[in-house]
């Protein structure tokens, strides 16, 4: 990997000989990397030797790897050698004698006859990927052809239709240069003159959820995550050909809060496991809006203790946390055998391929991406929490548009995450400036102290915070650095190499832009508030009298009057704390006397 900066690496396995008891297998690892001269090749299999001194300086290593590999191959009755051209890449080829199993069962393939001879068009710009998918299709008795681009695929579909030999399925890669897989799918659906519309199966090495969020009206029949195996390919194609489309346009969620989605679960108890105070505050505001009782834990170990000591209807579990992360905490909770039916929902800003699958494997029930969308959260809660019979008052089309805006931020979506509470949003922004101004210093110090875990968590938290407050432009550089540091953690390393330093510099620029924009907006807002601070005492007294009468008459309009008082008082009352208290009144099952 480290010698191949661009292109691809292909691993091939072939059977050269067989006597029924043993086979001679040949393994080839081919790359498109820097390659070697014949002089460099001659030194490769010697102990403590690399191609040359410059290679050692740039790429590191002891030079023992190939010597050990050579010894292992010879012990397995094989040989190893290399074929290479400088600047064009290398092929490392080794053989080994392997025993043949005496217990070979052919897998049963239900409905195989129904799919036999099915025509498939494989579309992928990568030669290796095309070969792999083509070989898999042929091994399953499908008739497959390949195309290197979306444009070529469209031509082949038209040609096949004219020859009355149409394709049944288009197996298409998502990420391709020029016309990607989704655009190809849209073009195919517009070919209404085709006698047979092919089923569309999207293949991706990226996060499947990320792909489905970009469908924008396109319906696809199935999706496959690379690497693809014969069994997953067969099952997916069987499903695509025999069942209605399973992956329609990804559900989109409005930014306007709709608490009716979460009706019937008010009063339920939720454990929120989140180590970052700002993200905690945002989530609590939203959960309170649904009428839920919220308990917090700041790391995985606290979560385990809370679950053992208290009853919860659901756990919202962050992934990147100190002490114990979300995966470890979930596994520990499940291993007790006492909480198998407790819904645990991952809530993380991770967007790497396979993250959702990793959450499920750890024992979680579902996955919520950050930055959170209020209605998506409500829907998830309603799906997994047993109904309590209690409901909250439905908030009609909460509007958040105001004069308060931050350049480059999605402020409307951010305010919605806080239940439309603009003052809570401003308070959150103040806290962000205080907590994240020293991010670069904290991360650098963690690296110097060889504390890679803290560095990863700090970067992950910044990414989540930025998304939640609407500073989306910070998320991409933060995610890039987080992934690089996480890779170092896996490799037991902890350093700011030239690559990571460049990533940190880019993130630092975005962070400074975010903090400056917040400070400018808050300063401007303070001036505006001070100029409009004329307090109308007469109006305040009149609304207060109305409120007292409404309370005496058990009139629900008292809630609106209370809000008017708070707004009128401006900075003289803690509206945030008051809102938390009066939200409890909204639960319809409470007795009127509680007012």
């Amino acid at each position: 990997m480290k010698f191949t900066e661009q292109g691809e690496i292909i691993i091939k396995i072939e059977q050269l000989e067989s006597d029924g008891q043993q086979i001679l297998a040949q393994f080839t690892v081919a790359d498109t990397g820097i390659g070697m001269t014949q002089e460099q090749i001659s030194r490769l299999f010697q102990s403590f030797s690399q191609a040359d001194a410059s290679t050692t300086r740039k790429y590191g290593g002891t030079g023992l790897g190939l010597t050990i590999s050579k010894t292992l191959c010879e012990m397995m009755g094989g040989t190893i050698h290399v074929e290479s051209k400088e600047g064009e890449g290398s092929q490392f080829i080794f053989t080994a004698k392997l025993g043949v199993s005496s217990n070979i069962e052919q897998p049963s393939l239900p409905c195989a006859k129904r799919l036999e001879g099915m025509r498939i068009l494989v579309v992928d710009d990568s030669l290796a990927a095309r070969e792999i998918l083509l070989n898999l299709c042929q091994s399953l008795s499908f008739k497959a052809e390949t195309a290197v681009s979306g444009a070529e695929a469209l031509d082949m579909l038209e040609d096949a239709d004219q020859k009355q030999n149409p394709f049944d399925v288009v197996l298409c890669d998502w990420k391709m240069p020029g016309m990607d897989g989704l655009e190809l799918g849209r073009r195919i659906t517009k070919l209404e003159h085709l006698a047979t519309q092919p089923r569309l199966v999207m293949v991706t090495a990226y996060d499947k959820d990320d792909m489905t969020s970009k469908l924008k009206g396109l319906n696809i029949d199935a999706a496959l995550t690379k690497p693809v195996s014969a069994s997953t390919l067969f099952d997916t194609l069987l499903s695509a050909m025999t069942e209605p489309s399973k992956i329609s346009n990804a559900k989109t969620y409005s930014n306007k809060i709709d608490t009716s989605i979460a009706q019937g679960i008010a009063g339920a108890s939720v454990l929120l496991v989140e180590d970052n105070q700002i993200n905690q505050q945002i989530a609590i505001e939203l959960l309170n809006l649904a009428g839920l009782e919220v308990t917090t834990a700041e790391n995985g170990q606290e979560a385990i203790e809370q679950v053992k000591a208290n009853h919860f209807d659901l756990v919202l579990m962050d992934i990147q946390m100190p002490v114990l992360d979300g995966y470890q905490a979930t596994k520990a909770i499940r291993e007790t055998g006492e909480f198998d039916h407790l819904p645990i929902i991952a809530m993380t800003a991770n967007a790497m391929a396979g993250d959702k699958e990793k959450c499920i494997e750890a024992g979680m029930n579902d996955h919520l991406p950050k930055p959170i969308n209020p209605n998506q959260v409500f829907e998830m809660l309603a799906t997994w929490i047993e109904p309590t019979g209690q409901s909250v008052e439905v908030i009609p089309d909460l509007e958040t548009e105001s004069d308060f805006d931050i350049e480059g931020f999605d402020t409307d979506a951010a305010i919605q995450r806080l239940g439309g509470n603009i003052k809570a949003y401003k308070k959150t922004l103040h806290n962000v400036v205080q907590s994240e101004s020293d991010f670069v210093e904290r991360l650098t110090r963690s690296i110097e102290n060889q504390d890679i875990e803290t560095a990863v968590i700090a970067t992950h938290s910044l990414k989540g915070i930025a998304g939640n407050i609407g500073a989306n432009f910070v998320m991409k550089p933060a995610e890039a650095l987080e992934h690089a540091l996480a890779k170092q953690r896996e490799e037991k390393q902890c350093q700011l190499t030239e690559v990571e330093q460049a990533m940190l510099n880019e993130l630092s620029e975005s962070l400074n832009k975010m903090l400056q924009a917040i400070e400018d907006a808050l300063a401007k807002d303070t001036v505006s508030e001070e100029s409009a601070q004329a307090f109308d005492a007469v109006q305040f007294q009149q609304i207060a009298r109305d409120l007292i009468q409404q309370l005496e008459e058990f009139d629900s309009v008292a809630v609106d009057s209370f809000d008017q008082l708070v707004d009128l008082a401006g900075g003289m009352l803690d509206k945030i704390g008051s809102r938390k208290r009066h939200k409890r009144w909204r639960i319809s099952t409470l007795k009127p006397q509680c007012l």
Side-chain angles (χ1 to χ4, degrees):
M1 294 291 292
K2 63 185 178 182
F3 295 97
T4 309
E5 295 181 358
Q6 60 184 8
E8 58 193 6
I9 298 172
I10 302 172
I11 301 174
K12 293 182 180 180
I13 308 172
E14 304 171 75
Q15 176 183 302
L16 298 184
E17 301 172 6
S18 175
D19 60 8
Q21 300 298 316
Q22 281 189 325
I23 67 165
L24 181 63
Q26 176 174 285
F27 298 77
T28 303
V29 183
D31 65 60
T32 55
I34 60 175
M36 291 173 287
T37 65
Q38 287 302 313
E39 184 183 353
Q40 290 171 329
I41 292 173
S42 66
R43 293 196 295 267
L44 274 191
F45 294 98
Q46 299 172 18
S47 298
F48 301 103
S49 174
Q50 288 200 347
D52 56 34
S54 64
T55 303
T56 305
R57 284 196 302 273
K58 182 173 181 179
Y59 297 104
T62 62
L64 280 174
L66 289 176
T67 305
I68 295 170
S69 298
K70 182 174 184 290
T71 304
L72 289 173
C73 290
E74 291 171 350
M75 291 171 65
M76 298 170 69
T79 60
I80 185 170
H81 71 281
V82 62
E83 299 172 1
S84 181
K85 287 185 179 181
E86 188 174 12
E88 295 184 13
S90 306
Q91 289 190 81
F92 286 83
I93 303 164
F94 72 91
T95 57
K97 290 183 179 178
L98 306 172
V100 177
S101 172
S102 59
N103 182 25
I104 301 175
E105 294 183 5
Q106 293 296 328
S108 174
L109 298 178
C111 306
K113 290 293 181 185
R114 186 186 311 179
L115 301 184
E116 194 172 312
M118 183 169 62
R119 281 183 39 82
I120 298 177
L121 178 58
V122 175
V123 190
D124 202 307
D125 61 298
S126 165
L127 172 62
R130 288 199 306 275
E131 285 187 357
I132 290 169
L133 290 173
L134 178 65
N135 289 335
L136 286 175
C137 288
Q138 291 173 342
S139 72
L140 294 168
S141 300
F142 302 145
K143 295 178 180 178
E145 297 181 36
T146 62
V148 300
S149 66
E152 184 180 0
L154 291 172
D155 289 341
M156 292 179 68
L157 288 169
E158 293 269 18
D159 185 61
D161 183 68
Q162 291 175 6
K163 294 178 179 177
Q164 298 184 346
N165 189 24
F167 289 99
D168 301 295
V169 176
V170 174
L171 203 59
C172 181
D173 185 44
W174 170 27
K175 295 280 191 179
M176 295 190 297
M179 187 190 306
D180 67 13
L182 299 182
E183 178 59 26
L184 172 60
R186 294 187 184 94
R187 299 276 188 94
I188 292 174
T189 58
K190 292 178 181 179
L191 300 177
E192 298 178 355
H193 59 278
L194 294 181
T196 302
Q197 271 284 336
R199 300 297 178 101
L200 184 60
V201 177
M202 205 62 61
V203 186
T204 179
Y206 298 84
D207 185 5
K208 197 185 296 184
D209 289 342
D210 186 29
M211 180 195 71
T212 55
S213 69
K214 294 176 171 60
L215 290 175
K216 296 181 180 178
L218 172 67
N219 290 337
I220 63 177
D221 296 282
L224 267 171
T225 302
K226 295 179 180 178
V228 178
S229 68
S231 60
T232 56
L233 176 61
F234 182 85
D235 291 343
T236 301
L237 292 176
L238 179 64
S239 172
M241 294 302 294
T242 59
E243 298 179 19
S245 174
K246 286 189 173 181
I247 303 181
S248 58
N249 183 34
K251 185 167 185 178
T252 57
Y253 296 89
S254 169
N255 278 335
K256 289 188 175 181
I257 288 182
D258 182 6
T259 53
S260 67
I261 298 172
Q263 290 295 65
I265 61 170
S269 181
V270 172
L271 175 63
L272 172 65
V273 190
E274 168 66 67
D275 66 303
N276 184 274
Q277 294 295 322
I278 293 168
N279 289 335
Q280 253 192 35
Q281 176 193 349
I282 291 171
I284 289 171
E285 288 282 342
L286 197 58
L287 296 172
N288 283 341
L289 204 61
L292 301 173
E293 297 294 330
V294 184
T295 303
T296 60
E298 296 191 355
N299 59 61
Q301 185 59 49
E302 284 187 21
I304 296 169
E305 294 167 1
Q306 289 275 20
V307 168
K308 289 181 177 179
N310 304 286
H311 167 77
F312 295 105
D313 298 292
L314 180 137
V315 177
L316 286 172
M317 182 78 74
D318 190 30
I319 299 300
Q320 299 281 4
M321 294 182 294
V323 187
L324 285 181
D325 65 24
Y327 300 126
Q328 295 167 322
T330 301
K331 287 178 180 177
I333 291 170
R334 297 302 191 203
E335 284 172 358
T336 65
E338 301 176 37
F339 308 103
D340 292 345
H341 300 295
L342 173 64
I344 302 179
I345 309 300
M347 193 166 64
T348 175
N350 280 356
M352 296 176 68
D355 278 338
K356 182 174 182 179
E357 289 75 10
K358 192 174 179 182
C359 293
I360 301 301
E361 185 180 343
M364 301 181 194
N365 299 88
D366 218 323
H367 175 273
L368 272 172
K370 293 179 183 177
I372 56 178
N373 177 284
N375 294 335
Q376 188 176 10
V377 173
F378 292 156
E379 184 177 83
M380 186 72 71
L381 296 171
T383 299
W384 289 103
I385 293 178
E386 289 291 331
T388 61
Q390 301 181 23
S391 297
V392 291
E393 179 184 338
V394 175
I395 300 176
D397 288 342
L398 185 61
E399 296 289 345
T400 62
E401 292 185 8
S402 69
D403 294 335
F404 185 76
D405 191 40
I406 308 177
E407 184 178 356
F409 281 47
D410 187 355
T411 51
D412 286 347
I415 294 170
Q416 285 286 1
R417 294 186 191 101
L418 284 159
N421 191 335
I422 297 176
K423 287 201 172 182
Y425 180 53
K426 294 175 185 177
K427 181 178 178 181
T428 299
L429 294 174
H430 278 291
N431 293 337
V432 169
V433 173
Q434 294 174 4
S435 70
E436 301 306 314
S437 294
D438 65 342
F439 166 80
V440 175
E441 290 79 5
R442 283 187 287 115
L443 185 134
T444 305
R445 188 165 56 248
S446 298
I447 298 294
E448 290 173 351
N449 295 336
Q450 294 296 293
D451 187 358
I452 191 67
E453 184 66 27
T454 297
V456 172
I457 291 173
T459 312
H460 178 82
S461 294
L462 174 60
K463 179 178 68 174
I465 290 169
N468 278 330
I469 65 172
N472 299 332
F473 58 89
V474 177
M475 294 185 68
K476 186 175 181 180
E479 183 174 71
L481 180 59
E482 180 195 356
H483 290 176
L485 294 175
K487 184 178 179 182
Q488 284 200 16
R489 179 177 59 186
E490 293 172 2
E491 297 172 349
K492 302 292 191 292
Q493 297 180 9
C494 187
Q495 58 182 323
L496 282 177
T497 66
E498 188 177 330
V499 173
E500 281 82 17
Q501 186 62 58
M503 291 180 177
L504 179 57
N505 292 343
E506 182 183 357
L507 176 56
S508 178
E509 289 181 12
S510 297
L511 175 59
N512 290 337
K513 177 183 175 183
M514 177 185 85
L515 296 174
Q516 188 61 54
I518 292 173
E519 290 175 345
D520 291 347
L522 291 177
K524 180 180 178 182
D525 185 66
T526 300
V527 173
S528 300
E529 284 187 353
E530 289 174 352
S531 63
Q533 195 61 42
F535 176 63
D536 190 337
V538 175
Q539 184 182 6
F540 186 91
Q541 291 173 350
Q542 180 59 53
I543 295 174
R545 286 193 291 271
D546 292 342
L547 174 61
I548 293 171
Q549 183 176 350
Q550 290 158 1
L551 291 173
E552 290 175 348
E553 297 174 355
F554 308 121
D555 189 343
S556 63
V557 177
V559 172
D560 298 324
S561 297
F562 180 78
D563 283 343
Q564 282 183 276
L565 281 182
V566 174
D567 290 334
L568 194 61
M572 291 185 288
L573 286 179
D574 180 7
K575 181 176 179 180
I576 298 170
S578 301
R579 276 189 180 275
K580 288 182 179 178
R581 288 191 291 275
H582 96 259
K583 278 170 188 166
R584 297 193 184 103
W585 302 356
R586 295 180 181 272
I587 301 178
S588 62
T589 53
L590 294 179
K591 299 293 184 183
Q593 287 86 341
C594 290
L595 291 172

